[in-house]
Amino acid sequence: KAGVTQTPRYLIKTRGQQVTLSCSPISGHRSVSWYQQTPGQGLQFLFEYFSETQRNKGNFPGRFSGRQFSNSRSEMNVSTLELGDSALYLCASSSDRVGQETQYFGPGTRLLVL
Amino acid sequence: AQSVAQPEDQVNVAEGNPLTVKCTYSVSGNPYLFWYVQYPNRGLQFLLKYITGDNLVKGSYGFEAEFNKSQTSFHLKKPSALVSDSALYFCAVRPRSGNTPLVFGKGTRLSVIA
């Protein structure tokens, strides 16, 4: 099976712009989670989608949003970018079946905000 | 609230020696426990998980972890370290009940010296 894919892998934006990141989960996985990774804060949970519905949400401002499509692919959007949004954004998918709770991660999108 | 502690930011070990990366957690009930590894400029790779059963869990690349319920610990171990094991290691926990997100520790950087 192909793994989790994320596009683009690298992105450079300027403050005030908005950005959309994409994640394609492992085939058959219906749960997609997003994380922000920075050197100072470590891995922080953004949100989780399951069957096109947001199931969990982390403690991030409303500038961070996401959605999931019927094919389980997910996008996250960050509006009005700030310098502090520079980070590695990781997407993970899981099957959500009992005993298969493992989340598998994509390679990440590295966002640099100038 | 759930939390995961990785008390060591950095662990140094000589090649061929055994290694231990420590993890303790605080969560109600019996959680699912995970270890992930991250190589530079990559996403997180799943190493192993504890769901139930034997307290010693074997995973990828010769790694294993020991679940200790009384000490609420899940330390990662390997009998003989390789230089290629040098990476960032994350412990994560997820309660069994409810659809709550993974909570990660801050990570421990492992350096294996030849």
Side-chain angles (χ1 to χ4, degrees):
Chain A
K1 274 186 183 177
V4 178
T5 58
Q6 292 187 245
T7 56
R9 292 292 311 278
Y10 302 94
L11 210 46
I12 300 175
K13 293 285 187 179
T14 56
R15 279 180 298 173
Q17 287 187 309
Q18 67 94 26
V19 67
T20 299
L21 312 181
S22 180
C23 171
S24 292
I26 291 171
S27 177
H29 285 187
R30 293 195 294 164
S31 172
V32 173
S33 298
W34 289 90
Y35 297 85
Q36 181 195 65
Q37 185 179 19
T38 58
Q41 298 297 319
L43 277 159
Q44 292 188 284
F45 171 73
L46 280 156
F47 25 67
E48 179 190 8
Y49 286 87
F50 179 76
S51 292
E52 301 179 68
T53 301
Q54 188 180 84
R55 187 158 69 175
N56 284 297
K57 188 178 188 306
N59 190 24
F60 276 81
R63 300 185 296 106
F64 292 81
S65 63
R67 59 178 176 168
Q68 187 180 32
F69 302 95
S70 58
N71 62 358
S72 294
R73 190 178 70 85
S74 178
E75 289 181 347
M76 67 164 280
N77 184 278
V78 188
S79 62
T80 321
L81 284 165
E82 300 177 0
L83 295 180
D85 297 332
S86 295
L88 181 66
Y89 289 88
L90 293 164
C91 164
S93 76
S94 64
S95 79
D96 214 57
R97 291 179 183 169
V98 174
Q100 297 182 28
E101 298 79 2
T102 302
Q103 291 190 1
Y104 295 93
F105 284 78
T109 295
R110 187 165 295 281
L111 172 65
L112 177 61
V113 182
L114 301 175
Chain B
Q2 313 157 57
S3 65
V4 178
Q6 292 182 243
E8 300 152 319
D9 291 336
Q10 174 96 28
V11 170
N12 298 320
V13 64
E15 188 175 31
N17 283 2
L19 68 88
T20 299
V21 182
K22 295 179 181 177
C23 171
T24 59
Y25 62 90
S26 174
V27 66
S28 56
N30 294 320
Y32 298 122
L33 298 160
F34 302 85
W35 275 101
Y36 288 86
V37 60
Q38 186 177 35
Y39 296 99
N41 300 314
R42 304 282 294 276
L44 272 65
Q45 258 180 261
F46 168 71
L47 274 179
L48 51 80
K49 66 181 177 184
Y50 174 80
I51 300 294
T52 188
D54 194 352
N55 289 345
L56 186 64
V57 179
K58 293 191 183 297
S60 307
Y61 313 119
F63 283 93
E64 57 191 26
E66 187 166 11
F67 170 62
N68 187 316
K69 186 175 180 179
S70 62
Q71 296 184 4
T72 60
S73 67
F74 190 56
H75 301 331
L76 181 70
K77 300 182 180 184
K78 188 173 182 181
S80 179
L82 300 172
V83 172
S84 57
D85 293 330
S86 298
L88 189 55
Y89 290 80
F90 289 95
C91 179
V93 62
R94 183 172 185 167
R96 289 177 188 269
S97 59
N99 290 309
T100 54
L102 270 178
V103 174
F104 284 88
K106 289 285 190 185
T108 298
R109 187 162 299 281
L110 173 68
S111 289
V112 181
I113 303 153

